Amino acid sequence: MTTPSNSDETALNSIQARLPKLTRDFIAEHYPRQVSVVHVDLLTRHGERTPVAHRIPEISPKNWNFCAAGNLLHQDFLRSVGRYTNDAGTSKDTVRQWQNHIFKRDSRSGGTVFGKFSAEAQHQNDSSQPTAATCGFGQITDLGRRSMTALGAHMRALYVDTLGLLPASLQSGGGDDLYLRTTSYTRALESLQHTIGGLYPDPPAGTQTLRIHVRPSERDNMFPDFNCKNMVRQLLRLNTQSLERVADEYKQLYEDMLKIPSLKSFFDTEFNPGKARVAISVLDIVAPMRVHGLPLPEGVDNKLISRLAHMAAVEYLHSGWDMAALTRMQLGRLVYDLAGKIASAVETDRANALFQQPRLGIYSGHDTTMAPLLAAFGYDAAARDHRAPKDLVWPPFGASIRIELLKDTTTPHPIVQPEWESSQVDNTADISKIPFEKRIRPSSVPDSLYRWLPRRTNGRPSAQMNSRATRDYYVRIWYNDRVLRLPTCRDPGAHHSQLGPAVCTLDGFFKQIARFASSDKEARSECQITHPSDEPSRE
């Protein structure tokens, strides 16, 4: 493998996620001795995959032969369930080639998971041939598997080997310390499996059961629910407004792509730029080609890929940051759940682990999981004119958000009180009746979090409010290799007195996400949709 140039690095950073190097100086700076990690939630986009559909056939091969290891795993699975046979119906002769047909286009609940491969060339220049390594559309490739394994290995190096948050092996109780979620997409499930494989590479002898939670597509809160008509209307309107702000730059990108014959043919025949977005449609083809080393046509270079990754984010991500309601309707239910997990972790820690609470939650999702979360965490807050920051790009393959719950009982809590914190005294109010914009914490954060006294004699929560009940706890959020500085946490008194605005007080974190977190009931009301069952999730 050749070492990439600086321009190569720039392009790859926009489509493949980077992780921080765990040097001694890095650990000393971000994890000083007086600070301990109590709980972590890791949210990821799946690893590198093939395009979700066969577009731009002049440059994109129909057969993507990058799934040899994955297909072998699928064959092992088929053997285990008695479905691995040849065309004659026996299991002794020739081997049937299987591939993973991931749900195509917008379908989330249909499609064949395992099926027989058939290949017909779709254009005369397609010289690719199916092999035992042929992928399906939207399938995670062997490169993607390695990337997710590397992410798991990074988590092990940090939270097992360095900080001791998690046990060294599953056999010593690691399974009880994990909460695992994935969407129903196969690429998300397999990304989760490889992340776990990197976290715990040496499985113990015997059987170890890991429970992975998968919700029905109509109940999944890890991507936007397009049954929410209010969300769709606002998304289209604000998306158009976002593009109007960068109209000149957007137009120039489109005109530059028209100079590339294969892309011009795509726009002329397969694609209507007036009804669909230009950047993301091209990026979904050229980004997988770039990361898998496939030749790109003249004119599709690293600079163009970086421009596509930036403008794709403007098309679909930056629009949500103009309006909290849109972000809330996209992923508010997940934000609500995450706030509840953090609150539960605090209560568990204060109870000296009298009841079990997973120390690490892993949520395997998509770019549509990353984007609304970034909006809720105020990723564009530095851009006061509401233009997308130049370093904003589409969430790359393997992108990760880490929410760290930290504890520090030594460093004095900030003396200055944020303006909004005074209203924290009234914790008895029914938060669900307070408008989202005026909330100081999500309604998933229970009152009991603020009724705890350090020296309890009867083991029961205090009936009185304790203004210092959460003062030892802080939250820090990482996006790939950088710390996100949440806007609310920049306020005086809302961050760690030594580590600065990168480390929020717990209440500062709750204040930041309060207007973006909605319960299932609130989400249905705001979206004006009704699902067949209103039973709560049992996870």
Side-chain angles (χ1 to χ4, degrees):
M1 178 180 296
T2 59
T3 302
S5 64
N6 291 336
S7 60
D8 289 339
E9 287 283 2
T10 301
L12 288 175
N13 291 342
S14 64
I15 52 181
Q16 288 180 298
R18 294 185 301 183
L19 295 170
K21 295 181 179 180
L22 302 181
T23 63
R24 182 176 300 179
D25 290 342
F26 175 87
I27 297 299
E29 177 184 358
H30 297 286
Y31 301 94
R33 292 186 177 182
Q34 76 272 21
V35 175
S36 60
V37 181
V38 176
H39 176 85
V40 177
D41 283 312
L42 171 70
L43 300 105
T44 70
R45 184 190 180 192
H46 54 74
E48 290 85 344
R49 58 157 173 78
T50 60
V52 297
H54 187 62
R55 300 192 186 104
I56 322 183
E58 286 79 4
I59 65 172
S60 173
K62 182 176 186 296
N63 299 308
W64 290 67
N65 300 323
F66 299 99
C67 296
N71 290 345
L72 286 176
L73 291 174
H74 296 167
Q75 291 174 2
D76 289 341
F77 168 78
L78 291 170
R79 286 191 184 94
S80 70
V81 297
R83 288 185 55 195
Y84 186 73
T85 62
N86 64 7
D87 291 334
T90 67
S91 58
K92 296 181 180 180
D93 301 325
T94 59
V95 174
R96 169 183 289 178
Q97 292 182 5
W98 295 85
Q99 76 171 43
N100 203 353
H101 290 274
I102 309 304
F103 311 134
K104 295 183 179 180
R105 298 185 183 276
D106 294 330
S107 175
R108 288 193 171 97
S109 57
T112 303
V113 176
F114 295 104
K116 188 177 179 181
F117 180 81
S118 61
E120 298 85 18
Q122 294 192 6
H123 59 93
Q124 60 181 0
N125 296 326
D126 188 353
S127 60
S128 62
Q129 297 295 323
T131 70
T134 300
C135 312
F137 292 130
Q139 182 177 352
I140 184 174
T141 64
D142 294 343
L143 173 62
R145 294 170 185 275
R146 292 193 297 271
S147 296
M148 301 313 291
T149 300
L151 174 60
H154 178 87
M155 298 289 287
R156 180 178 181 84
L158 179 59
Y159 296 117
V160 177
D161 300 335
T162 303
L163 302 177
L165 174 68
L166 300 171
S169 68
L170 290 173
Q171 197 167 23
S172 59
D176 295 333
D177 285 298
L178 302 179
Y179 172 79
L180 307 174
R181 271 280 310 275
T182 179
T183 68
S184 57
Y185 280 85
T186 308
R187 58 180 173 267
L189 171 61
E190 294 184 335
S191 291
L192 174 61
Q193 292 170 334
H194 284 271
T195 302
I196 299 170
L199 179 62
Y200 288 108
D202 299 316
T207 301
Q208 176 72 43
T209 300
L210 295 177
R211 176 176 296 179
I212 297 177
H213 300 273
V214 184
R215 297 184 182 181
S217 58
E218 71 275 6
R219 282 291 181 186
D220 204 333
N221 61 9
M222 288 184 63
F223 42 62
D225 183 356
F226 284 90
N227 289 315
C228 180
K229 303 304 181 184
N230 287 346
M231 179 197 74
V232 174
R233 285 194 295 268
Q234 292 185 23
L235 183 63
L236 292 174
R237 176 171 58 86
L238 293 179
N239 176 255
T240 300
Q241 292 177 1
S242 293
L243 292 179
E244 288 175 350
R245 295 182 183 129
V246 292
D248 292 342
E249 184 180 355
Y250 194 68
K251 180 181 179 182
Q252 186 62 54
L253 173 65
Y254 178 54
E255 291 179 350
D256 289 345
M257 286 194 290
L258 289 179
K259 299 174 184 177
I260 302 172
S262 57
L263 297 186
K264 184 179 187 303
S265 175
F266 172 60
F267 293 138
D268 289 344
T269 59
E270 297 183 62
F271 185 79
N272 186 342
K275 294 185 178 180
R277 299 310 178 197
V278 171
I280 187 60
S281 299
V282 177
L283 184 68
D284 189 67
I285 299 297
V286 300
M289 293 181 67
R290 176 67 177 84
V291 298
H292 290 96
L294 291 173
L296 293 168
E298 183 178 356
V300 180
D301 54 15
N302 294 324
K303 183 177 180 180
L304 181 65
I305 292 175
S306 296
R307 292 170 64 192
L308 287 170
H310 172 69
M311 201 55 64
V314 176
E315 287 177 335
Y316 279 102
L317 309 190
H318 188 249
S319 57
W321 293 330
D322 286 341
M323 189 173 183
L326 177 55
T327 298
R328 187 169 59 245
M329 285 188 285
Q330 287 179 306
L331 222 65
R333 294 176 300 151
L334 179 60
V335 176
Y336 177 93
D337 285 354
L338 292 171
K341 298 285 188 185
I342 294 293
S344 295
V346 171
E347 292 189 313
T348 301
D349 182 71
R350 293 191 309 202
N352 295 320
L354 295 179
F355 54 92
Q356 182 65 39
Q357 167 77 12
R359 296 182 183 182
L360 173 64
I362 305 179
Y363 300 73
S364 183
H366 309 266
D367 42 20
T368 49
T369 308
M370 298 286 104
L373 283 178
L374 292 175
F377 297 146
Y379 187 57
D380 76 329
R384 299 302 179 186
D385 62 351
H386 295 288
R387 289 180 178 270
K390 287 299 181 182
D391 64 346
L392 172 69
V393 294
W394 189 257
F397 294 123
S400 63
I401 294 174
R402 284 186 287 128
I403 306 173
E404 294 179 327
L405 175 64
L406 309 174
K407 183 178 182 179
D408 184 353
T409 61
T410 303
T411 306
H413 193 272
I415 298 176
V416 179
Q417 186 180 42
E419 295 181 3
W420 43 263
E421 194 176 61
S422 59
S423 57
Q424 188 73 64
V425 175
D426 185 13
N427 286 279
T428 59
D430 184 352
I431 298 179
S432 64
K433 296 181 180 179
I434 301 174
F436 284 106
E437 298 296 329
K438 295 183 178 181
R439 295 182 186 182
I440 55 176
R441 58 185 170 95
S443 55
S444 53
V445 177
D447 291 345
S448 60
L449 200 69
Y450 298 92
R451 290 200 176 104
W452 180 83
L453 294 174
R455 297 180 180 178
R456 293 178 294 175
T457 56
N458 57 7
R460 297 178 181 177
S462 170
Q464 298 178 347
M465 302 309 300
N466 177 10
S467 61
R468 301 191 61 81
T470 64
R471 293 298 174 92
D472 293 340
Y473 297 94
Y474 299 83
V475 173
R476 177 171 53 204
I477 299 179
W478 294 87
Y479 177 51
N480 299 329
D481 61 345
R482 68 182 65 185
V483 174
L484 296 186
R485 297 175 182 264
L486 279 61
T488 301
C489 304
R490 297 172 185 170
D491 295 344
H495 53 259
H496 194 278
S497 57
Q498 290 185 3
L499 297 178
V503 178
C504 304
T505 63
L506 184 62
D507 288 335
F509 169 71
F510 286 153
K511 172 62 177 175
Q512 172 65 35
I513 65 174
R515 62 189 177 129
F516 299 104
S518 59
S519 66
D520 285 345
K521 181 178 179 180
E522 290 172 326
R524 289 194 299 271
S525 175
E526 192 165 27
C527 288
Q528 299 178 353
I529 59 175
T530 302
H531 287 301
S533 171
D534 291 339
E535 295 181 2
S537 173
R538 298 177 180 177
E539 297 184 0

